[in-house]
Amino acid sequence: MITFIDKQTIESHFDFPELIERLRSAFAQSNVEVPMRHHHDYANPPEDRESTLLLMPAWDPGKDLGVKMVTVSPNNGDYNLPSIQGIYLLFDAHKGSCKTLLDAKSLTAYRTAATSALASSYLSRENSRCLMMIGTGALSSVLIKAHAAVRPIDKVIIWGRDPLKAEALKKTLVDEPFEIEVVETIESGIKNADIISCATLSETPLINGELLKPGQHLDMVGAYRPDMREADDQCLLRSSIFVDHYAGALKETGDIVIPMQQGIIQRADIKAELFELCKEAATGREHSEEITFFKSVGHALEDLVAATLIAEKVNL
């Protein structure tokens, strides 16, 4: 019988420092083979809006192979359901047998947050103490915890479209060792933040780049489609731009695709991807006044690393 690793098991076994270092090693070594993920938008007539199917395979030759199948339904908040749902299948890459199934939603949340924290370890200032979280979805709490694993965060500012959800997020973090403040406007949070993490399904920019301060780091996690944006043109023009991987960022996210199509930025303006940073083939933050911008679109390597780590911990 194939074992299913559920949300509770995943959450109880995750350790951000360990996962971050596993990811750093995997990005540096590049042993994992990752085809371009399948991205299919499909009609969803009851919502008068498209949903998305993502298929993300990856394998470490002779060791492990994994495939994530995920649906993204942007209006699911109206039904008190997560927008991202799916399953992860982990196989033995030697003999082809299926080792386990994992809850993809939880796996995705933790590996995404760990990847943002990994990028932050290269791009944010080492003394960053104040984190602003824009968005109150499933990723929000884990992004906050992941960033706090690599920087001395002692204050978290939360903004969400729904103030009640922002207050609910605050309550889930009440036992964490930092002060938490819910703000009414994004602008009021930006002026005090060292790191700004944004994870939303916004189709229009939320962050006004003219308000950014020298030395800030932007961690842009949402905007997973070419018609979505979380950051405006000034955010990009004022920042040193980094991505998790070129192939996905140049194709899938409006935060990069739209300003490139409009000639606001060029391909050469993207300084490095995580593979280069982790191999020390490129430099991250160069000085304390630099504004850094990291765009995460997700990479199947991250899923495979996280899934194999969890499988190890439950002795599979």
Side-chain angles (χ1 to χ4, degrees):
M1 182 179 294
I2 299 174
T3 302
F4 175 66
I5 302 179
D6 61 15
K7 172 184 177 183
Q8 290 73 26
T9 304
I10 291 173
E11 291 178 349
S12 65
H13 284 85
F14 254 116
D15 175 76
F16 274 119
E18 183 177 14
L19 178 56
I20 290 165
E21 291 312 310
R22 287 283 189 101
L23 287 169
R24 194 189 309 275
S25 177
F27 274 106
Q29 294 173 5
S30 299
N31 294 331
V32 177
E33 297 183 24
V34 182
M36 190 66 183
R37 72 183 180 185
H38 291 247
H39 184 134
H40 304 281
D41 296 323
Y42 61 91
N44 192 346
E47 297 301 319
D48 193 29
R49 183 177 184 181
E50 287 184 328
S51 291
T52 301
L53 170 67
L54 300 173
L55 304 175
M56 303 173 67
W59 55 85
D60 190 349
K63 296 181 180 180
D64 298 291
L65 180 151
V67 182
K68 185 168 73 174
M69 297 183 289
V70 171
T71 58
V72 185
S73 303
N75 289 352
N76 269 9
D78 296 340
Y79 307 101
N80 199 29
L81 292 171
S83 59
I84 299 174
Q85 301 181 83
I87 195 79
Y88 192 87
L89 294 83
L90 181 64
F91 294 87
D92 178 340
H94 175 203
K95 298 179 180 178
S97 57
C98 185
K99 296 169 67 173
T100 188
L101 306 177
L102 300 95
D103 174 59
K105 178 175 175 289
S106 296
L107 187 75
T108 301
Y110 279 87
R111 65 81 153 153
T112 300
T115 301
S116 282
L118 173 61
S120 180
S121 73
Y122 294 101
L123 302 177
S124 66
R125 292 183 298 191
E126 292 185 3
N127 64 347
S128 296
R129 308 188 73 88
C130 182
L131 168 70
M132 181 179 189
M133 185 70 239
I134 299 174
T136 57
L139 277 170
S140 304
S141 62
V142 287
L143 278 165
I144 291 168
K145 294 174 184 177
H147 278 290
V150 297
R151 292 294 183 249
I153 302 299
D154 55 24
K155 182 172 183 178
V156 173
I157 300 169
I158 298 171
W159 177 88
R161 294 184 190 276
D162 184 340
L164 294 178
K165 290 183 178 180
E167 289 292 343
L169 174 59
K170 177 180 177 178
K171 290 180 181 178
T172 67
L173 299 166
V174 67
D175 294 328
E176 299 298 326
F178 35 69
E179 177 189 352
I180 306 170
E181 178 186 3
V182 173
V183 294
E184 295 183 356
T185 67
I186 292 175
E187 292 75 16
S188 63
I190 287 177
K191 65 183 181 181
N192 295 311
D194 298 307
I195 300 172
I196 302 165
S197 185
C198 191
T200 75
L201 298 175
S202 181
E203 295 181 349
T204 56
L206 295 171
I207 301 176
N208 180 352
E210 293 183 356
L211 301 178
L212 296 178
K213 301 188 307 178
Q216 288 180 317
H217 170 59
L218 280 71
D219 171 43
M220 312 305 295
V221 182
Y224 69 94
R225 287 173 38 143
D227 59 352
M228 292 179 170
R229 290 191 74 175
E230 294 181 308
D232 69 5
D233 293 340
Q234 282 299 313
C235 287
L236 294 157
L237 291 171
R238 296 188 63 195
S239 301
S240 297
I241 305 168
F242 300 82
V243 298
D244 53 356
H245 64 120
Y246 293 123
L250 294 171
K251 178 181 178 183
E252 297 186 11
T253 172
D255 275 329
I256 301 294
V257 172
I258 293 173
M260 284 190 67
Q261 289 176 339
Q262 296 176 347
I264 305 298
I265 61 170
Q266 310 297 322
R267 167 65 178 79
D269 292 322
I270 301 176
K271 294 189 66 174
E273 63 178 4
L274 262 182
F275 289 96
E276 295 167 323
L277 291 175
C278 293
K279 291 176 182 177
E280 299 184 352
T283 303
R285 172 177 290 274
E286 296 184 346
H287 57 84
S288 62
E289 297 296 288
E290 183 179 13
I291 298 173
T292 52
F293 179 106
F294 174 68
K295 181 59 205 178
S296 172
V297 294
H299 195 272
L301 175 149
E302 302 158 16
D303 296 302
L304 186 63
V305 170
T308 54
L309 176 59
I310 290 297
E312 287 176 19
K313 287 181 173 291
V314 297
N315 298 315
L316 291 176

